[in-house]
Amino acid sequence: MKLLVLNGPNLNLLGMREPEIYGHETYAALCEKIRAHAAACGVEVEIFQSNHEGALVDRIQEACGVFDAIVINPAAYTHTSIAIPDALKAVRIPAVEVHLSDPARREAFRRVSYVRSACVATIAGHGFDGYTEAMDLLCRMLKS
Ligand code: DQA
């Protein structure tokens, strides 16, 4: 199984970014956790982070025929982007939406997720564990 993990804007600043919400661990630590979990599950993983919506759309399009599943934390684009869910729907690759925090418990403008409609599940508020939970969910789904 080949898995693509996509991370949106400002997630590269984990560790220094609002630690009271996102914790003190760095983006490098998140990538390390994802890679270790993928190795333990026998999954091939590629991780990509961008602060640009179009770059994320490009990676989703390029994933067509290459990757079996996507884990995506679109960050702020969750609440604004139509292009990202459109791309996910176009390539028809099963995707899970992940958020470190629980946007439903934060400001009102975070309660809308346009990406959710293009995903098989959403995992929010579990910190870094949300990524490994999403990977497990997709592995189970693709094996059955
Ligand atoms: C986030 C939640 C979003 O509302 C926010 O804009 C982010 C991170 C999360 O992982 O909790 O950048 O996606």
Side-chain angles (χ1 to χ4, degrees):
M1 172 174 158
K2 282 190 78 172
L3 173 74
L4 178 62
V5 178
L6 294 174
N7 285 307
N10 302 307
L11 290 169
N12 54 316
L13 298 183
L14 286 176
M16 66 164 277
R17 175 190 184 199
E18 297 179 276
E20 64 288 358
I21 296 174
Y22 299 112
H24 290 276
E25 287 199 277
T26 62
Y27 184 68
L30 172 62
C31 293
E32 190 41 51
K33 183 181 173 96
I34 292 167
R35 287 203 181 93
H37 195 68
C41 300
V43 169
E44 214 179 303
V45 73
E46 193 173 309
I47 307 171
F48 177 73
Q49 187 277 330
S50 180
N51 296 324
H52 304 277
E53 183 178 12
L56 294 163
V57 170
D58 284 345
R59 287 307 282 248
I60 294 167
Q61 290 188 7
E62 287 159 15
C64 195
V66 179
F67 289 93
D68 305 298
I70 294 176
V71 170
I72 182 164
N73 182 346
Y77 290 137
T78 307
H79 321 295
T80 61
S81 175
I82 308 293
I84 290 173
D86 277 357
L88 289 170
K89 286 175 186 164
V91 299
R92 297 160 152 270
I93 300 172
V96 172
E97 175 190 15
V98 170
H99 299 286
L100 297 162
S101 67
D102 185 355
R105 293 172 172 271
R106 297 178 59 192
E107 302 95 322
F109 62 81
R110 293 185 204 274
R111 292 189 195 135
V112 171
S113 167
Y114 294 110
V115 173
R116 182 174 302 220
S117 68
C119 293
V120 295
T122 297
I123 298 172
H126 297 185
F128 285 10
D129 288 345
Y131 286 77
T132 52
E133 289 168 22
M135 292 163 78
D136 291 343
L137 191 158
L138 285 162
C139 284
R140 277 198 306 274
M141 209 188 104
L142 290 175
K143 275 184 194 150
S144 63

